[in-house]
Amino acid sequence: MNANDLRDAWADRTGEFSPRYYAHYGPNEVSEVVADALSGAVGRDARVLELGCGSGRHLAHLHGEGFADLAGVDINPHSFDVLREEYPDLADAGSFHAGAIADVLPAFEDGAFDAVYSVETLQHVHPAEMSATFDEVARVADGALVTVELEGEGGGGITEVDDGLPLYRHDWGAVFESRGFTQTTVEALGDDTVRVFRRAD
């Protein structure tokens, strides 16, 4: 599958793993872990960006916890229709951008956000776009970065989600340490690994 086909598959997704699917389940334990990590790393006044925000369930939890300056990017434009239906207060308060991460982030200045986080999103970036995408993530994150992603044995490998779409596993610590960040926390959360990074001095 090439990069454009993979983008299209996620941009048009319905049913399982779609924006409506995740809105049905709402905030969860991951939402709480992200909120705790961001509270400790940057505080509730921080400018926060979620990569692959979907219909906003994690951002909605942050909003409920007192985070006020929130933004999200998602490749599926239908995500924001669902977000407005399910979380109208968040929709009014936040800033949202439809498109692929690699296309949206270049519009932001260096260090535009105090914190950037992703939940099972970066693992879907096609190999042809990985380097540029990860560079952009690191560039716009001024202070902290939180990843909640699957990792492979030895930090690599390709698996598939249920309908055959590829999923690319990495050692996310190595990915972002090589881009100017230092890990402060590493912990398992179900099948995911939670990593909290601070920009190195």
Side-chain angles (χ1 to χ4, degrees), residues 7-93:
R7 284 184 176 207
D8 290 345
W10 285 108
D12 299 333
R13 191 171 186 95
T14 59
E16 191 173 24
F17 307 126
S18 69
R20 183 73 64 188
Y21 171 90
Y22 285 115
H24 170 75
Y25 289 100
N28 61 1
E29 181 183 6
V30 175
S31 311
E32 297 172 2
V33 167
V34 169
D36 288 345
L38 294 176
S39 294
V42 294
R44 286 171 170 77
D45 293 331
R47 299 159 297 161
V48 177
L49 172 69
E50 181 178 4
L51 306 170
C53 66
S55 50
R57 64 176 179 158
H58 302 308
L59 286 171
H61 181 73
L62 291 178
H63 191 241
E65 290 293 305
F67 287 84
D69 195 344
L70 299 172
V73 54
D74 200 272
I75 198 168
N76 188 332
H78 180 57
S79 296
F80 306 117
D81 296 329
V82 180
L83 188 151
R84 282 188 288 272
E85 294 172 16
E86 298 290 334
Y87 309 112
D89 291 343
L90 172 65
D92 290 341

Side-chain angles (χ1 to χ4, degrees), residues 89-190:
D89 291 343
L90 172 65
D92 290 341
S95 173
F96 302 99
H97 311 271
I101 295 166
D103 295 340
V104 172
L105 294 192
F108 295 113
E109 296 181 357
D110 293 358
F113 300 94
D114 298 308
V116 176
Y117 74 94
S118 70
V119 178
E120 295 187 350
T121 294
L122 296 177
Q123 64 198 29
H124 297 298
V125 175
H126 192 276
E129 300 182 326
M130 284 176 184
S131 181
T133 300
F134 300 160
D135 287 349
E136 283 297 309
V137 172
R139 184 185 66 81
V140 302
D142 186 51
L145 175 64
V146 178
T147 59
V148 185
E149 304 279 348
L150 291 171
E151 301 197 358
E153 297 215 5
I158 302 173
T159 54
E160 296 180 347
V161 294
D162 290 346
D163 58 2
L165 291 178
L167 184 153
Y168 306 98
R169 296 171 179 259
H170 300 276
D171 175 346
W172 297 102
V175 166
F176 288 109
E177 285 182 331
S178 70
R179 289 170 167 83
F181 287 84
T182 300
Q183 292 185 82
T184 61
T185 304
V186 181
E187 63 180 83
L189 181 63

